Amino acid sequence: MKKVGIIMGSDSDLPVVEKAINKLRDYGVPYEVHVYSAHRTPEQAGAFARTAREEGFGVIIAAAGKAAHLAGAMAAGTTLPVIGIPVKSSTLDGMDALLSTVQMPTGIPVATVAIDGAANAAILAVEMLAIEDASLAEKLQRNRDAERDNVLKKNAGVELEYNQN
């Protein structure tokens, strides 16, 4: 199974990134986590992106706040799918990170999840890997079914308490 690379621009992003790590663990997907800054460690970030495919990665998740150039820097160095997580910081409530992550030039795509949307980034990465992995596709379907059943159970409780029949 291919690995997921999780790169964050600063260790201060770890509380957000841990949600992705936990989801990948839930699905049994191997991953590596690194702190590489597009601005402070561009050589290391670039080297990771350039060698990711050969190192067995199938998807890269990149989390960054403020200038949030990391996902774009990763995407510029690889043809693997890159998922950007804009991280909310004290500046502009994460809108700066969102706009920096989603405004990529043609030819260098970055899939972008919601601000602090690390769990969805991991699920999207699993979906990408599941294109060629039937066991992951089955796990995803079981999770969707469980989520549906949970909502329907809650609906039944609300209907029972509030509907007048």
Side-chain angles (χ1 to χ4, degrees), residues 21-152:
I21 294 167
N22 292 335
K23 280 289 179 193
L24 292 172
R25 284 181 183 154
D26 290 347
Y27 282 100
V29 172
Y31 59 86
E32 285 184 18
V33 183
H34 300 278
V35 177
Y36 294 138
S37 168
H39 303 105
R40 294 184 184 99
T41 60
E43 294 84 11
Q44 291 81 359
F48 181 88
R50 286 188 301 277
T51 62
R53 186 179 301 274
E54 293 77 30
E55 295 295 324
F57 292 93
V59 182
I60 297 172
I61 295 172
K66 296 190 179 182
H69 182 61
L70 185 58
M74 291 287 107
T78 186
T79 57
L80 290 174
V82 175
I83 303 167
I85 305 170
V87 177
K88 183 177 181 178
S89 65
S90 59
T91 308
L92 302 174
D93 285 333
M95 286 301 296
D96 52 340
L98 174 63
L99 295 173
S100 295
T101 305
V102 56
Q103 294 293 338
M104 293 301 301
T106 300
I108 310 294
V110 170
T112 306
V113 296
I115 296 169
D116 291 350
N120 267 352
I123 293 168
L124 182 57
V126 173
E127 289 176 343
M128 290 173 176
L129 295 176
I131 291 169
E132 294 189 8
D133 188 321
S135 67
L136 276 181
E138 290 172 15
K139 288 178 184 178
L140 284 163
Q141 189 59 56
R142 282 195 304 269
N143 188 43
R144 290 272 179 103
D145 292 346
E147 290 174 357
R148 179 201 61 227
D149 293 346
N150 188 39
V151 169
L152 292 175

